[in-house]
Amino acid sequence: MAQRTRSQQADRIRHLLETEGEAIHTHASASNARRYQTYGETDDIEALRDEARSIKEDAIDRLPDLIETVREAVEANGGTVYVADDAADANAYVSEVVQTETEENGIAGDGDTPSVVKSKSMTTEEIDLNDALEADGIDVTETDLGEWVLQVADDTPSHIVGPAMHLSRPEIAELFNDRFDPDEPFETAEELTRFARDHLGERIRAADVGITGANFVVADSGTITLVTNEGNARKCAVTPDTHVAIAGVEKLIPTLSDLEPFVDIIAKSATGQPISQYVTMLSPPTDSPTLDFDAPDEPITGDGEGAADGTGNADRDFHLVLLDNGRMDMRQDDQLRETLYCIRCGACSNSCANFQSVGGHGFGGETYSGGIATGWEAGVHGQESAAEFNDFCTGCTRCVDACPVKIDIPWINTVVRDRVNRSGDPAAYDFLVDGLTPDVEEGGLDPGKRFFGNIGTVAKAASATAPVSNWLADAGPVRGLLERTLGIDRRRDLPAFQRESLVDWFEGRGGADASKKRAERAVSRGNGADLEREVVLYPDVYTNYVDTERGKAAVRTLEALGVPVRVPDLPESGRAALSQGMIATADRQASKLYAALAEEIDAGRDVVVIEPSDLAAIHREYERLLPERSVDQLRTNSYEICEYVYGLLENGADPSALSTGDGSEPVAYHSHCQQRTLDLEAPTVAVLERCGYAPETSDAECCGMAGSFGYKREFYDLSMDVGERLAGQVEGAETVVASGTSCGDQLETLLERDVPHPIELLAPGGYST
């Protein structure tokens, strides 16, 4: 599979924004909003998520044993279990089941073609079951409304839960009117669903075999669980004489009691419902009686002709097909293993701002879509399939809070990105940068990724030569060269580097000694908290070389509240390298930063960070890069700037030492996405309120800029589409503040005015444009 060029990808994204974006955003954002509400109304939601994850961890750990357990249970019930190695193996087995059924019992319907009816199943999408059966002369009908719409349209799913999410009601009506030519054209949703119900009902009654997926399979009882909002899945399971359930091996859970948290949380996560409309639990074949539509008033059990226990039809046939197709290899892969915990709820898609704009036809591979798709596609279809869309994930981490089993989806995307990087052939010009860039990556790395992954080196050089560097970078020919070689879209404003870095400014005003004296004076005036704390302010790349004013504001604020500050020249956090999938480089940078900060922490100093993405790297990604003890030390002693200010105010510092409002001065505040994942939006809101402002927060998941993402030519239009939704929420406010570098840059472009960091608003002297 050849990857699209930047130009082709940009064209594809623009097409999706124009044709599917509105419908996708309407449905995905609504499901996401309902999930927020339902999670918020569930008192034990975190305990529920923890329990679900624990069960999945245990199940995947015991997977080989559970396969044998479920085999024994299903066979004891009278059914058959088949473990398929891959798609071809699974398809051949299912085709043989259908052919055997019709050869032995004849074709159920009036026609001469064997027929099957299917409920919604992403696993059968993964193996292209429909195409395989149709190639063998078997008629296949999807019975899930969304899947059937796509079958009629010859289209593919755009979401793992809402497959036809990208189509509007008028589009579906037009499709049905063209295909079925009704006496009266379909217009309303009620008319469409009534027609679909009647049409599909006839197909179900006449089918030879019913095929379903399975949301969960209980190993010790052989129980198949179907969780749906339509009733057709259970009809497919119990109406034809033969039922085939196809599920990935990861769907196995040990016992019936283990099922409870999943039934409770899957609908909450997927659609924001307290529980799904239908939860069907079948232990086939004995507990799944065949319905007799010619005798609807007759009882369906206990007629004396069924199984030995009087339930169902003794001739009923059941097959459970458990699919490997790369899953057992994923289980052995320490980095992809977590993908197998996925319960296919789609919450990661709904919570993703990029997905909300383009859907799964952009942010998706051969089968799967959204954040978790990278793990699935790499595992079952191969790394090349994941490479096509992996860069749609910006690592914003909003999916982490959404995932019901707490999968670290951004890390999976980072790992696959790293592997894709390493699989590239060395470019002809790699020797030009070999040894000249500080990264430790292999040859073949995309030059744009190498550039952004080494942004600290770029920024340091640009600052040292500013303002000439700024003038050169913005010149037309240079912008054209940057677009052609690095993929930096010429429409995007470039940052203006400052000649004097924050570290240099701090030393020029007297350094740590002068800062200590200023803090002591604040305490003597009664403004400080008198906690005898000292802060090391982390000079992230952007704060140190571009937006030095927010760094200066942080220094002045801390000193005004009685805390002396140090601003040493510290290594990069590794955040930029991680965003480009350069894990080896990030690992080295993390080790260097830890070594530097450990000395400060051992000296009793607190680490304060302005840029949320750097703090998120320290608190989250360092788990993957550093020893546990080192991570714990950094977590315990590092704080976001407004979080730290809030702590000072809570411990006696006087807010009047800062720039305060009149108690009702409105401020529109957009919190950085990773800041919210760290649960650090609330302290900023609280500080603004304590200082006399009336903050109103945005509910946009992301600004769309996301570091380097918004600079890249192929993603520029998508970035702006996401950003415009955020801008629409805050444009009416006189004052807009944003915690993140990218957030501020994006909003300044869209609003055409300054958007400072909250600390700039609060610092003594206030903020002036």
Side-chain angles (χ1 to χ4, degrees):
M1 180 191 298
Q3 280 191 258
R4 294 185 180 97
T5 64
R6 287 192 176 102
S7 180
Q8 290 170 336
Q9 184 73 285
D11 290 343
R12 172 67 174 160
I13 288 172
R14 279 192 292 270
H15 173 73
L16 291 172
L17 290 172
E18 293 170 1
T19 59
E20 300 181 4
E22 183 177 351
I24 289 286
H25 181 260
T26 297
H27 294 296
S29 60
S31 292
N32 192 44
R34 289 193 298 268
R35 176 190 59 81
Y36 270 115
Q37 181 178 352
T38 306
Y39 271 22
E41 293 171 350
T42 305
D43 293 337
D44 60 345
I45 187 64
E46 291 307 312
L48 194 61
R49 294 173 73 202
D50 287 338
E51 182 182 8
R53 181 180 174 92
S54 177
I55 292 169
K56 288 296 289 186
E57 287 177 345
D58 174 63
I60 298 304
D61 190 50
R62 298 166 50 194
L63 193 52
D65 292 338
L66 293 182
I67 291 173
E68 294 310 310
T69 299
V70 79
R71 187 192 302 276
E72 293 174 4
V74 171
E75 289 177 352
N77 291 339
T80 303
V81 172
Y82 184 78
V83 180
D85 291 334
D86 54 27
D89 189 14
N91 291 337
Y93 181 83
V94 175
S95 181
E96 183 180 353
V97 168
V98 177
Q99 292 169 351
T100 300
E101 161 65 21
T102 53
E103 288 172 3
E104 293 181 352
N105 301 306
I107 294 175
D110 296 331
D112 56 3
T113 302
S115 65
V116 304
V117 286
K118 285 179 69 260
S119 69
K120 182 183 178 301
S121 164
M122 289 306 296
T123 305
T124 60
E125 291 279 352
E126 174 188 323
I127 62 176
D128 292 323
L129 177 65
N130 291 13
D131 291 343
L133 294 180
E134 289 168 354
D136 288 342
I138 299 167
D139 183 63
V140 181
T141 300
E142 296 282 357
T143 65
D144 173 82
L145 180 56
E147 290 285 2
W148 185 55
V149 167
L150 297 184
Q151 187 178 32
V152 172
D154 192 23
D155 201 352
T156 57
S158 59
H159 190 284
I160 64 174
V161 172
M165 184 180 283
H166 58 290
L167 297 174
S168 65
R169 181 193 53 75
E171 289 174 321
I172 296 172
E174 181 180 0
L175 171 69
F176 278 24
N177 288 328
D178 289 345
R179 179 61 61 89
F180 300 107
D181 192 23
D183 294 335
E184 294 292 333
F186 301 121
E187 293 182 357
T188 67
E190 183 180 1
E191 291 169 346
L192 290 166
T193 53
R194 184 186 299 117
F195 170 76
R197 181 191 62 196
D198 295 342
H199 180 89
L200 295 175
E202 293 173 4
R203 296 299 181 97
I204 292 170
R205 286 192 288 270
D208 296 294
V209 175
I211 299 176
T212 70
N215 294 93
F216 310 100
V217 180
V218 179
D220 70 351
S221 63
T223 301
I224 309 301
T225 305
L226 304 171
V227 183
T228 69
N229 278 328
E230 301 175 19
N232 285 345
R234 62 173 68 180
K235 292 178 183 178
C236 290
V238 304
T239 303
D241 287 332
T242 299
H243 173 203
V244 179
I246 305 173
V249 290
E250 84 284 354
K251 295 295 186 71
L252 287 165
I253 57 175
T255 68
L256 197 61
S257 62
D258 293 323
L259 181 62
E260 182 179 355
F262 295 104
V263 172
D264 193 358
I265 203 168
I266 189 169
K268 290 179 172 67
S269 305
T271 57
Q273 297 168 268
I275 194 168
S276 290
Q277 297 285 354
Y278 298 94
V279 178
T280 304
M281 298 170 62
L282 306 169
S283 298
T286 56
D287 289 335
S288 304
T290 301
L291 304 180
D292 186 353
F293 285 94
D294 294 327
D297 296 328
E298 293 295 321
I300 61 174
T301 59
D303 59 5
E305 299 179 0
D309 63 355
T311 59
N313 188 330
D315 295 327
R316 185 164 173 73
D317 200 10
F318 172 68
H319 299 262
L320 172 61
V321 179
L322 293 173
L323 180 68
D324 180 354
N325 203 36
R327 287 163 172 80
M328 298 307 281
D329 288 339
M330 292 168 69
R331 178 175 173 269
Q332 298 301 319
D333 187 323
D334 289 342
Q335 306 296 349
L336 292 186
R337 179 187 179 102
E338 211 178 347
T339 306
L340 298 175
Y341 304 163
C342 172
I343 64 173
R344 311 282 182 86
C345 68
C348 59
S349 297
N350 297 336
S351 63
C352 174
N354 286 343
F355 186 94
Q356 289 177 7
S357 285
V358 297
H361 290 160
F363 195 165
E366 293 183 39
T367 304
Y368 298 102
S369 58
I372 195 62
T374 290
W376 280 120
E377 291 288 326
V380 305
H381 291 312
Q383 191 167 282
E384 201 171 77
S385 178
E388 183 69 23
F389 65 92
N390 171 255
D391 285 338
F392 277 84
C393 174
T394 65
C396 79
T397 71
R398 299 311 301 136
C399 55
V400 175
D401 285 344
C403 177
V405 287
K406 298 188 175 182
I407 299 172
D408 193 349
I409 296 170
W411 180 254
I412 293 172
N413 277 272
T414 300
V415 166
V416 172
R417 192 169 300 165
D418 180 79
R419 293 177 179 180
V420 170
N421 290 344
R422 294 176 184 279
S423 67
D425 294 328
Y429 49 79
D430 268 354
F431 74 93
L432 294 174
V433 297
D434 188 29
L436 299 179
T437 56
D439 64 72
V440 292
E441 305 304 312
E442 299 173 3
L445 181 63
D446 175 85
K449 289 185 177 180
R450 192 182 293 275
F451 175 85
F452 284 112
N454 289 291
I455 198 64
T457 300
V458 174
K460 185 174 183 178
S463 174
T465 56
V468 175
S469 58
N470 296 323
W471 177 82
L472 282 174
D474 210 34
V478 176
R479 291 307 305 263
L481 180 64
L482 291 174
E483 186 170 84
R484 289 192 302 274
T485 59
L486 303 179
I488 299 174
D489 197 289
R490 68 181 71 200
R491 292 169 291 180
R492 177 67 71 180
D493 292 336
L494 298 179
F497 294 96
Q498 305 301 311
R499 184 59 177 263
E500 183 183 53
S501 69
L502 177 66
V503 171
D504 291 341
W505 168 84
F506 183 77
E507 290 303 318
R509 73 197 289 266
D513 290 340
S515 180
K516 184 176 181 180
K517 292 176 182 178
R518 292 186 183 93
E520 288 173 346
R521 286 197 295 270
V523 172
S524 68
R525 292 193 297 266
N527 294 331
D530 197 18
L531 295 175
E532 296 185 0
R533 309 301 300 174
E534 186 176 3
V535 158
V536 172
L537 185 68
Y538 177 62
D540 64 88
V541 170
Y542 197 87
T543 303
N544 196 28
Y545 296 115
V546 181
D547 192 359
T548 57
E549 290 304 316
R550 68 177 187 172
K552 296 173 185 177
V555 171
R556 294 198 306 271
T557 298
L558 293 170
E559 290 173 346
L561 297 178
V563 179
V565 181
R566 293 170 179 258
V567 187
D569 189 6
L570 293 170
E572 292 181 66
S573 70
R575 164 57 62 202
L578 285 172
S579 72
Q580 308 307 312
M582 297 164 59
I583 294 178
T585 299
D587 185 276
R588 186 178 68 173
Q589 290 173 339
S591 296
K592 288 183 176 180
L593 181 58
Y594 169 72
L597 290 179
E599 292 184 14
E600 304 286 357
I601 292 170
D602 290 342
R605 301 183 185 105
D606 300 323
V607 178
V608 172
V609 183
I610 299 174
E611 176 56 42
S613 61
D614 287 284
L615 184 68
I618 293 168
H619 282 218
R620 296 190 71 257
E621 280 83 0
Y622 278 19
E623 283 183 350
R624 313 278 185 167
L625 306 175
L626 297 177
E628 183 178 356
R629 182 177 178 182
S630 302
V631 176
D632 287 343
Q633 185 182 21
L634 288 177
R635 273 189 188 147
T636 304
N637 295 282
S638 58
Y639 308 86
E640 190 269 335
I641 178 62
C642 287
E643 173 195 20
Y644 197 82
V645 170
Y646 176 72
L648 295 175
L649 296 179
E650 285 290 287
N651 284 277
D654 187 355
S656 67
L658 307 180
S659 295
T660 57
D662 60 9
S664 61
E665 186 173 337
V667 173
Y669 168 51
H670 176 67
S671 176
H672 189 280
C673 45
Q674 291 168 330
Q675 183 180 11
R676 278 179 280 167
T677 303
L678 296 175
D679 290 328
L680 292 176
E681 178 183 63
T684 301
V685 172
V687 167
L688 289 170
E689 290 174 340
R690 285 284 295 273
C691 291
Y693 298 98
E696 296 180 1
T697 58
S698 70
D699 60 11
E701 292 290 6
C702 185
C703 69
M705 186 65 185
S708 64
F709 183 82
Y711 286 100
K712 296 178 179 180
R713 178 185 176 191
E714 61 268 41
F715 298 122
Y716 175 82
D717 294 293
L718 173 55
S719 170
M720 295 301 283
D721 185 74
V722 173
E724 284 166 0
R725 290 199 292 269
L726 169 59
Q729 292 186 18
V730 302
E731 62 186 352
E734 182 177 346
T735 302
V736 180
V737 295
S739 295
T741 295
S742 299
C743 313
D745 285 350
Q746 179 82 307
L747 285 170
E748 286 183 347
T749 296
L750 291 165
L751 299 178
E752 297 182 337
R753 54 189 165 110
D754 288 347
V755 177
H757 189 286
I759 202 67
E760 295 178 78
L761 188 68
L762 298 170
Y767 179 79
S768 59
T769 59

